[in-house]
Amino acid sequence: MSATSSPTLSSLPTDPWRLVETRWDADANLLRETLFALGNGHIGTRGTYDEAWQGEPDASMEGTYVNGFYDTEAIRYPENAYGFARINEFMLNLPNAKGVEIAIDGERFSLAGGVIVAYERSLDFREGVLVRTVEWKSPAGRRVRIVAKRLVSLSRSAILAQSVAVTPLDADATVEFVTTLNSQVRGSEESFDPRLGSGASARALSTVETTATPGRSVLVSRTRNSGLTLRIETLAGVAGGSTPECTASEDGGVLSQRFRVVAKAGEAVTLEKMTAIVTSRDAPVSELAAQAAGALEGARAVGFEGLADEQRTRLAAFWEKADIEIEGDDALSQGLHFNLYHLFQSIGRDGRTNIAAKGLTGEGYEGHSFWDTEIYVLPVFLRTLPDLARAVLQHRIGYLDKARARARDLGHVRGALYPWRTITGEECSAYFPAGTAQYHINADIAFAIKQYVEATGDDTLLTDGGAELVFETARVWADLAHLVEDSYHIDEVTGPDEYTALVNNNFYTNVMAKTHVGFAAEVAGWMEREKPEAFAKLYERLDLTADEVAHWSDVSDRLRLPYDEARGIHAQDDAFLSRKVWDFAGTPAENYPLLLHYHPLVIYRHQVCKQADVVLALFLRGDLFPKAIKRRDFDYYEAITTHDSSLSTCIHSIIAAEVGLNERAYEFFMDTARMDIDNTHGNTFHGVHTAAMGGTWMSVVHGFAGLRALNGELHFAPTLPKAWSRYRFRLVDHGRTLEVAVSAAGVEFRLVEGEAIRLFHRGEPIDLSAAEPMRSVPLPRAFDRKPFKAVVFDLDGVITDTARFHHLAWKRLADTLNIGFDEDLAESLKGIDRRMSLRMILDKGGVTLEPAEFDRLADMKNVWYKELIGTMTRNDLLPGALETLKTVRAAGLKVGLASVSQNAPAILERLGIADMFDAVVDARLLKRGKPDPEIFLKAAAQLGVDPADCLGVEDAVAGVASIKGAGMPALGIGRSSVLTEADAVIPGLDAFVLSDYLA
Ligand code: G6P
Ligand code: MG
C-alpha cells in the first residue's frame, strides 16, 4: 500500500539548513506556527507572531508549554468498568509572554493592514533563532523595517528571549512598544479526531499573583487539580532613540509594559524582552521567585546577542554528532535537518521529563508520551547525545511506583505495567483496546535500556534503577505467559498495529517480551556477579528468587512466535491470517485514515494494518529471523498496511532496504522525511510528529546504511539510493565518534575520536584505530537479474554442512603426516575433488608418495569422512536449503547439483532431497574437477538448459571459478572478501530471495 497523503499547503523554499518563509500566508499560518516553534526540552513555544494575530481566529493557535507541566481532569465514562484509567493528564497551554505590539506615530503594526513591502521569516538550524524581517508601509504611508528575533535558550532552561528592532525608513517617528504577559489562555478546540486535544487548558489555570512595575511583569498561576504553581516573569528594556518613557499597567488579566521613544529616520530602536518560566515541578514554590529572578539576571547580563552566541555554540556541538549530510538532494537534507532540530528542541533533559508525541509544538495528543519515545526517538539520541537518552530513561525509572500501582489495577499481584499514554506516569488512555492493552510498552522501555547499556557501556543506569525497572516489568510477562503444550502464550493484548486489537500472541509483543525477559535474566546474572551488594539488596526488596529468574529464561526460550507454515510467513497473531482481507480496491482514497471513517469493530474484523507490527519486530530483532522470511513477511504485510500511522513508513523503509527493495525503501523514506514540512498527514498544525522525525534518522542509519547493533558490535550493510551522490553521518559508540560516508566509490568508515574499534561491513571485520582511522570498502555490485531457467547448486557448504566434515577428515590426515593444516589451506580445498585435495596437502608439506600409498591415504580420508557423515539426517540441511529448493521448483525452474563429491548421491538420499533434483552430475565421470568449468557445463547439458540461463550457487573459490568459466552468473555463499569473483554473495541460503536474481 502506498501512503495516503492529504493536500499540502504552499511549500517553502528549499534550503538544507534553514526553514524560510518568504511571504505572509494567512492560510498556512497554523501550520507555520508549528514548524517555526522553538523549544529547549523544557519550554516550547509555537511560532506565533509577537503582535496579536489579526486574521481569522481559527487560523492561529497561541501556545507556550512547559514539558511535564500539566493539569488533570477526571475521565468520565458513561459505562464504567473496573480498572479503567481514572484521570487524564494534559499538557497546559500557558499564559502568553511573547506579546509585543508596535505602533509607529500612533499607527499599530499589523500584517493584516497597510502594505507588506518585504517579508521573510527564517529559522536557521545552526543558529536556533527565529528571525522575521518585515518592511511595512502603514495605512498612513509611514515605512518601517521591523526585525523581530526570538529564541528559547538551549543553554538556560528557563529562558525565552526576544529582540524587536524598529527602524523608521522615511522620517523620524515615535515608536511605541507594548510588551504583554497575557494570563487569558485559549485551549485547543475539542475535536472528533482522537489524535487532537481535549480543549481543557482554558479552564485549568487560575491567577495567584500579578505584579506590573515599569519594565517588569510577574504572573503566578496555579493549576486547578494537579496543584502545580507556575511563575512567569518578564523584563523588558529599549535601546536606541530618545530616552524611553515606560509605564506599566494591568488590565483584564493582561500585564503590559508600554515604552515610548522617538527614533531617527534610518536608526533602529530595539526592544529586548527576556522571559523566565519556572514551575513547582522544578523547585519548591518558595524558591520560584528567586529562581526566575536569577535566570533573568543571567540572561540580561549577556543580552539577546549573547544568548544567540550560546545558542550557536550549543547547536554546533549537536550537529557535530547528529548531522546527516545528503549530497544531491537539498529538499531531503532540509527535511532531515528540520526533523533532527525539532527532536533536539523537544526532548526532556532533566531526568524528570519525556518527549511528547508532538514535542512542545502543539497540543495534539494532549502532550502525552507513548512508546514513540523508546522505539523511535531514543535510538537517535542513543547514537548522537546518549546523555539525553539516559535522562529520559531515568525519568521512566522515576515513575516505577506508579507503574506498580497500575499493574495491581490490572490484576498482577507483582510487577509493574507502564501506562500507554501519560505525562507523569498515570495511565491516561480512556480507550483500553488501543491503549492499556498495548502491554508491549513494558518491553519497549526495557529494550531501550538494553540498547542504551549496549551502546554506551554505561551500566550505572542499571544500578540506578534500570535493573529494578527491567525486573519489575518482566514480572508482568511472566505472569501473563502460560504454557500451552510446549510453548508459552500471551493472551489478550494489542500490538503496535492499532487496526487489530485484543489478540492472542501478537507477534511483535511476543518477540519483544521474549527479548525483555531474556534480558532481565541476563541482567540478574550480571548484577549478581558484578554488583553483588546492590543485587542482594534489590533481591530482598523485590522478593526475587533464583527460580523466578530461571523462569524468565524459560519464558524467553519458549514464548510462541506465530508462524504460518503454508505461507512461510509470521502471523501477526493467532487469529490474524484467518480474518477477511480488507477490501482495499473498494475503499475510496478519502476514506483514509480508516480510523476516521469506520467503527473500530469493522476495522478489527479485517486483515488491515495501520502500521508496522511484524515488520517492526523484524527490524528490532532482525537477528532472530532469516532474510528469506523477512522478505516474505514484508511482501505480505506491506500489501495490507495503510500507513495511517505516522510511525509506519520509516520502519517499512528500513526493512525494504534490508530485503533488497531499494526503490521501495526510498519511497517510504521520502514519505517520512518531509512529513511535517510538507504536512503530508494533514495535521501538523497540531504539532510535529516526533516519532516519524526519529524514524527518518533511523531510515538513513539503520535503513540505507544497514546499521544493526548485535551484542554490542556494530554491523553495517550500506547501499546508496539512486538519487544521492553521497551521504555521510556520524555515530557515537561507547564514547567514541565514528563517521560513515557512502558514495558510488564505496563506503568510508572513519574513527573521528576515541578508542580503536572493530566493526563489520556485511560481516567482514573492519578495524579502526588512531593509527589507522580510515578504511574504505567497495559497495557490493548490483546483481543483473535474468530470466533464469535453472539453478545449479554445489552441495558441500551450500545445502549441507559437510564442508566441516571434509575439513576434519583432511586435518586428521595432515596431522598424521605432520603437515601443518591452517585456515587458508582448508579454504583452498573447498570444492576440490579428493585426489586433487590430497595432492595439495602433500605439496604444502613437501611430501611425495608412491601411487599405492597415495591411494591408501585418499581411501583412508574417505573412510573417516564417511564415519562423520554416517549419522546425517534431514536435520543436517543448512538453514534455508529446503525452502530454497522448494521456492526454485515452485517458480518452475529446474534444479541441478554440481558436486565433485563421489559421496554426493548418498548424501542427497540421507537428507531426503534426492527427488528434488532434475540432474545430478556423476562426479566419477568428470575429467577435471573444479575450478574447471566441466562440471557446471555438464549439469546444464543434463538439464537441457543453456549455461547462460543457469544460476550457479557455490561456497568455494574454486566452485565460483568453475561457474564463471561455464558462463553462468555466480551466487556465492559465504563472505564477499573471499568469493571476490561471485556476482553476488549471501551468507547462507536462509538469505536466499529468488526475486533478487530472477527477472
Ligand atoms: C566437495 C567438497 C570437497 C571434497 C570434494 C570431494 O567438492 O567441497 O571438500 O574434497 O567434494 O568429495 P568426496 O566425498 O568425493 O571425497
Ligand atoms: Mg562446496
Side-chain angles (χ1 to χ4, degrees), residues 794 796-797 831 954-956:
D794 171 40
D796 296 323
E954 255 291 352
D955 70 313

Side-chain angles (χ1 to χ4, degrees), residues 796 806 829 831-834 837 861 865 900-903:
D796 296 323
H806 283 296
L829 293 183
I832 305 294
D833 68 35
R834 201 182 308 157
S837 298
K861 182 263 174 181
Y865 175 70
V900 299
S901 169
Q902 299 187 20
N903 295 299

Side-chain angles (χ1 to χ4, degrees), residues 682-700:
N683 59 4
T684 292
F685 33 84
H686 294 282
V688 297
H689 298 80
T690 55
M693 290 176 150
T696 6
W697 182 94
M698 289 202 282
S699 294
V700 175

Side-chain angles (χ1 to χ4, degrees), residues 91 188 195-197 356-358 362-368 421 686-687:
M91 179 172 80
S188 73
R195 299 168 298 179
L196 308 184
K358 302 284 177 188
E363 282 153 71
Y365 289 122
E366 301 180 87
H368 291 163
R421 53 188 293 174
H686 294 282

